[in-house]
Amino acid sequence: MPRLAPHILDVPASGIRRIYEIAATLDDVVQLAVGEPDWPVAPHIIEAARDAWARDDTRYTANGGIAPLRAAIAAKLARENGVEVDVEQVWVTAGGTQALNLAMHLTLAPGDEVLLPDPGYTTFTMNARMLGAEPVPYRLDPARGFMPDLDELESLVTPRTRLLIVNSPSNPLGVVFPRATLESLLDFARRHDLWILADEVYEHFAWGEPHTELASLSGAEGRVFSVHSFSKSYAMTGVRVGYLVTPPGFDATLRTMQEATISCVATPDQYAALAALEGPQDTVARARARYRAAFELAAAALDAKGVDYLVPGGAMYLWVDVAHVSAGDVAAWAARFVREQRVAVAPGSAFGASGEGWIRLCLAVDPDALAAGIERIPARLAIAAEDGDAGGAGAGER
């Protein structure tokens, strides 16, 4: 039998997907592992897709997307993000995931190194491995408020380093980098002549520290690829529409890459995205307020248990410390937890080695489900008094 390309075997499996698949075999599972809004898509977005189907607008589009959508995205970037771009810098993609993949294909060759956050979104590492590139994690340390350490980044750069990935608001942490931090990262990239891939998927969900689009900073021109998505902002995860914003001059190359991968995003889906951009934005504002309220509910429940967590500045997640029960293998603990307690959580180790001992909870769920899931997390206050005979996932495990 012919063999697979050797580097493909190095692509790590998703630790989140493993929990999801276990949960799918069980009944009555509280699903807190997957980052998916549980609120409905706005009616005007659904109607736009339905109208496209009804008029049989189902043919190929330009590789970069329909002209009205690309123009609307460019206008939104200028209005909301402080970034002025030509429409030829806007490429409509099959979700933010494909936008990430395109940017990494453009900037990484086999053997190149990419600096990526740890903990960080799982697909960063998966894409690097698929390309035969080497992921080099830079640690987001609790002792530093989960902010990047510029001295550590300096120590990680080699002649093979080509790309720096920055994600703010962060998945899985919910951390929002201050403008000064982003400026320092941009200055670092300029000194070492690196590309930057800015994952801006959670741009609409920041509170406290405002979201800053990295590409809007002075000196970012010609260096930054920005990834955006309709999935989280408009609860359109299954519709699969995102966009990649590139530096100038990549239009001919992107046309070829899109043609060779997806040709174009489904036409009705693009009209749904256009309606999302041009229609009322009240659902986005309500979602942001709901996630903040969900955090406050979760924080009160965890405080009562003496369980530590990171106070997020945005996104839709809560980063929770379960080292008191996970015994140094949070992935195994999460698998037992879903089987025994019927609560699915994302193990922190799925997001990098620094995530060991932590779990990610999705806040974009029904408040009652969130409360029920947290209720089953073993209390830290009770661990010292337990003798190890209580049973259940985590009980008595240290």
Side-chain angles (χ1 to χ4, degrees), residues 216-283:
S216 71
L217 300 178
S218 176
E221 300 84 0
R223 189 174 302 278
V224 177
F225 293 85
S226 301
V227 170
H228 293 257
S229 176
F230 291 86
S231 293
K232 314 296 184 179
S233 296
Y234 300 98
M236 294 165 57
T237 53
V239 181
R240 309 310 303 137
V241 185
Y243 54 97
L244 176 67
V245 186
T246 76
F250 286 90
D251 47 311
T253 301
L254 263 299
R255 227 170 257 115
T256 300
M257 293 179 70
Q258 284 282 74
E259 180 65 23
T261 51
I262 65 165
S263 183
C264 60
V265 170
T267 308
D269 296 349
Q270 293 191 56
Y271 280 103
L274 178 61
L277 275 187
E278 295 189 332
Q281 302 298 304
D282 53 312
T283 56

Side-chain angles (χ1 to χ4, degrees), residues 187-226:
D187 183 61
F188 164 81
R190 283 201 305 263
R191 288 199 311 275
H192 295 284
D193 196 25
L194 305 180
W195 296 107
I196 296 179
L197 194 167
D199 181 342
E200 310 283 7
V201 165
Y202 295 93
E203 60 175 313
H204 289 119
F205 304 126
W207 48 84
E209 183 74 40
H211 168 259
T212 298
E213 183 91 1
L214 203 154
S216 71
L217 300 178
S218 176
E221 300 84 0
R223 189 174 302 278
V224 177
F225 293 85
S226 301

Side-chain angles (χ1 to χ4, degrees), residues 317-361:
Y317 306 111
L318 186 57
W319 192 240
V320 179
D321 185 350
V322 294
H324 61 291
V325 290
S326 58
D329 189 347
V330 73
W333 178 84
R336 292 195 301 275
F337 192 52
V338 68
R339 289 189 178 103
E340 298 175 13
Q341 297 296 329
R342 295 298 194 268
V343 180
V345 299
S349 55
F351 304 96
S354 296
E356 181 54 57
W358 298 78
I359 57 174
R360 189 197 71 177
L361 306 182

Side-chain angles (χ1 to χ4, degrees), residues 10-177:
D10 293 331
V11 178
S14 169
I16 307 169
R17 179 60 57 174
R18 177 171 179 256
I19 298 300
Y20 182 86
E21 290 173 352
I22 294 172
T25 68
L26 305 171
D27 296 324
D28 301 321
V29 172
V30 178
Q31 182 54 263
L32 305 180
V34 179
E36 186 165 51
D38 74 333
W39 41 281
V41 174
H44 67 279
I45 298 175
I46 295 174
E47 192 63 29
R50 183 183 291 121
D51 287 349
W53 279 103
R55 64 177 180 266
D56 193 25
D57 202 342
T58 55
R59 304 302 188 265
Y60 290 127
T61 74
N63 296 128
I66 58 174
L69 177 55
R70 297 176 83 184
I73 290 170
K76 174 262 182 189
L77 289 167
R79 181 178 66 249
E80 297 182 16
N81 303 91
V83 181
E84 298 281 349
V85 297
D86 184 87
V87 292
E88 286 298 319
Q89 294 173 248
V90 175
W91 292 82
V92 182
T93 59
T97 301
Q98 194 225 345
L100 286 168
N101 184 268
L102 275 179
M104 294 177 78
H105 263 95
L106 280 164
T107 56
L108 294 171
D112 285 347
E113 294 177 349
V114 49
L115 296 169
L116 46 82
D118 176 12
Y121 182 41
T122 55
T123 303
F124 298 154
T125 298
M126 296 169 77
N127 272 311
R129 292 293 188 193
M130 286 176 66
L131 293 168
E134 184 67 27
V136 179
Y138 63 89
R139 191 169 186 223
L140 301 178
D141 196 317
R144 295 179 50 85
F146 293 92
M147 293 291 158
D149 183 337
L150 269 295
D151 289 336
E152 182 200 13
L153 279 167
E154 292 286 353
S155 72
L156 295 173
V157 173
T158 77
R160 293 192 296 151
T161 308
R162 295 287 179 270
L163 175 66
L164 169 67
I165 298 181
V166 180
N167 178 207
S168 173
S170 159
N171 174 15
L173 301 173
V175 169
V176 180
F177 292 171

